[in-house]
Amino acid sequence: QVQLVESGGGLVQAGGSLRLSCAASGRASGRTFSSYAMGWFRQGPRKEREFVAFISWNGGNTYYADSVKGRFTISRDNAKNTLYLQMNNLLPEDTAVYYCAARVVDAGTVYYTQSQYDYWGQGTQVTVSA
């Protein structure tokens, strides 16, 4: 089993920054964090959960939703089993619960739908005030 725990959320003014972290533990199918594809998703008030960012197992490939491109940066530290999301120039519409997700098998493509991920964290709240 894989456990994912997000942290770093909070209340910030528009234009501010936050860095989210996602700590991973456990293993699945004999694989550990360093071999997983990872993603960030978010669910705003009265909205469906949506894709935010993707990163491949070694960090060599990243992909972003258009709404966050140029403002958010996804990264990972495989030695620390941790995924990050640096969020700059935050907007009120970025207010949401942010979830990290793990896909055990990274087959070298971009994963941007919920069904492509195997494990999910509980989420961390990000609130951006105008």
Side-chain angles (χ1 to χ4, degrees):
Q1 278 288 59
V2 175
Q3 294 80 41
L4 302 173
V5 180
E6 301 95 336
S7 62
L11 174 64
V12 63
Q13 289 187 329
S17 299
L18 282 175
R19 188 175 82 154
L20 305 183
S21 299
C22 171
S25 60
R27 60 173 58 225
S29 302
R31 299 171 184 262
T32 56
F33 176 80
S34 61
S35 65
Y36 305 156
M38 298 294 296
W40 285 99
F41 290 75
R42 67 185 182 186
Q43 186 166 14
R46 299 172 297 282
K47 294 182 180 180
E48 294 188 354
R49 192 175 299 188
E50 63 177 3
F51 168 78
V52 174
F54 157 84
I55 189 165
S56 61
W57 68 275
N58 63 352
N61 190 17
T62 59
Y63 182 73
Y64 298 91
D66 287 343
S67 59
V68 306
K69 201 173 297 182
R71 300 187 298 121
F72 291 10
T73 302
I74 189 171
S75 63
R76 65 191 298 162
D77 186 336
N78 284 347
K80 296 182 178 179
N81 293 339
T82 304
L83 173 74
Y84 302 101
L85 185 68
Q86 178 66 44
M87 305 186 295
N88 297 329
N89 191 21
L90 283 159
L91 305 171
E93 48 263 45
D94 294 319
T95 294
V97 177
Y98 283 72
Y99 300 90
C100 65
R103 177 183 171 90
V104 172
V105 177
D106 186 343
T109 188
V110 173
Y111 302 103
Y112 58 91
T113 66
Q114 296 180 59
S115 62
Q116 293 174 310
Y117 288 85
D118 305 303
Y119 296 94
W120 293 81
Q122 293 298 309
T124 185
Q125 175 71 47
V126 172
T127 303
V128 184
S129 62

